[in-house]
Amino acid sequence: MCNGQDFQPITAHIVTTLRPEIGKVMYNDHKQVSVADLPGLIEGAHENKGMGHKFLKHVERTKQLMFVVDICGFQLASNTPVRSAFETVLLLTKELELYKEELLGKPAILVINKMDLPEAQGCLRELEAHLENQEESSNLFPEYVIPKSLMRFTHIIPVSATTGLGLPLLKSLIRQSLEEQDIIETESQRNERLLKLRREIPTSSVPSWGFPQLTLDHTYRFRHGSP
């Protein structure tokens, strides 16, 4: 949600755009989810290359991450290698990990874009196979690409920004994922409060029926027994 000037982006949309864009996803019941399309994350961002730390500091403020990768691969520049969709996922994860490993603990959605391309279905099957066996598949790539911890996505959604394929489902799952996270956080907070209350209860208030108690004159007596 966006509360006036006190804006806190909820979802970090990790792509390679040049300027940040902030918008809202609107729902029929008037619920709103703020989405930040942040500056591009490139290889070496953790070393402040490109938008670097300026980008990654925004990611720290988000409740949820959303990776958007091109199904048929991506090339940052003509003098850089073409990265497959799975390799792009590895690189994005690696950059987040190198900057701040705790970021990988955030819930994340994987959006697979450009599904309208002719070769998209074949590339999708290949990507799904890699995602199902991330540990094994990651070994096919150079060591500097492989993160120590692999990202586990709450949802994986194929879409086409051109045709609109999958966008209604993506919109629904963004909200669903955030609401599920809120439930988990609420339950965790409740359990923490209960634990704190238990710690604060004085031991003298705990019943000790049938157990010996030491009196001031250092003699023992038994509850419900003879004095």
Side-chain angles (χ1 to χ4, degrees), residues 40-49 52-53 55-56 95 99:
L41 181 61
I42 65 172
E43 295 175 47
H46 70 282
E47 297 176 338
N48 209 23
K49 293 181 180 178
H53 293 172
F55 165 80
L56 290 166
E95 289 298 331
Y99 176 72

Side-chain angles (χ1 to χ4, degrees), residues 2 17 66 77 84 96 102 107 123 131 145 164 167 169 192 208 225 227:
C2 177
T17 52
M66 185 164 68
S84 68
L96 291 176
E102 292 83 355
C123 293
L131 291 172
V145 173
L167 295 183
L169 176 61
E192 287 178 5
S208 55

Side-chain angles (χ1 to χ4, degrees), residues 128-198:
E128 288 174 337
H130 285 316
L131 291 172
E132 288 174 4
N133 301 279
Q134 287 198 58
E135 290 82 0
E136 182 178 342
S137 296
S138 62
N139 292 327
L140 300 174
F141 299 94
E143 186 176 348
Y144 74 89
V145 173
I146 306 171
K148 290 187 296 183
S149 302
L150 298 170
M151 183 68 75
R152 304 297 177 183
F153 297 100
T154 56
H155 301 285
I156 299 173
I157 311 139
V159 305
S160 169
T162 300
T163 67
L165 171 72
L167 295 183
L169 176 61
L170 173 59
K171 181 178 176 180
S172 174
L173 289 177
I174 288 174
R175 177 174 178 175
Q176 177 185 321
S177 181
L178 289 170
E179 289 176 346
E180 289 171 350
Q181 183 183 351
D182 287 341
I183 291 172
I184 293 172
E185 289 178 354
T186 300
E187 182 67 18
S188 176
Q189 291 169 0
R190 188 182 74 86
N191 291 337
E192 287 178 5
R193 287 196 296 269
L194 286 174
L195 184 59
K196 183 179 180 181
L197 284 173
R198 289 182 185 132

Side-chain angles (χ1 to χ4, degrees), residues 3 9 22 29-30 35 58 65 68 90 100 111 134 136-137 139 144 149 154 159-160 162 196 198 217 223:
N3 299 317
I22 297 174
D29 61 356
H30 307 295
V35 178
H58 284 289
L65 304 176
V68 181
L90 292 178
K100 183 169 288 188
V111 180
Q134 287 198 58
E136 182 178 342
S137 296
N139 292 327
Y144 74 89
S149 302
T154 56
V159 305
S160 169
T162 300
K196 183 179 180 181
R198 289 182 185 132
D217 60 357
R223 301 289 293 270

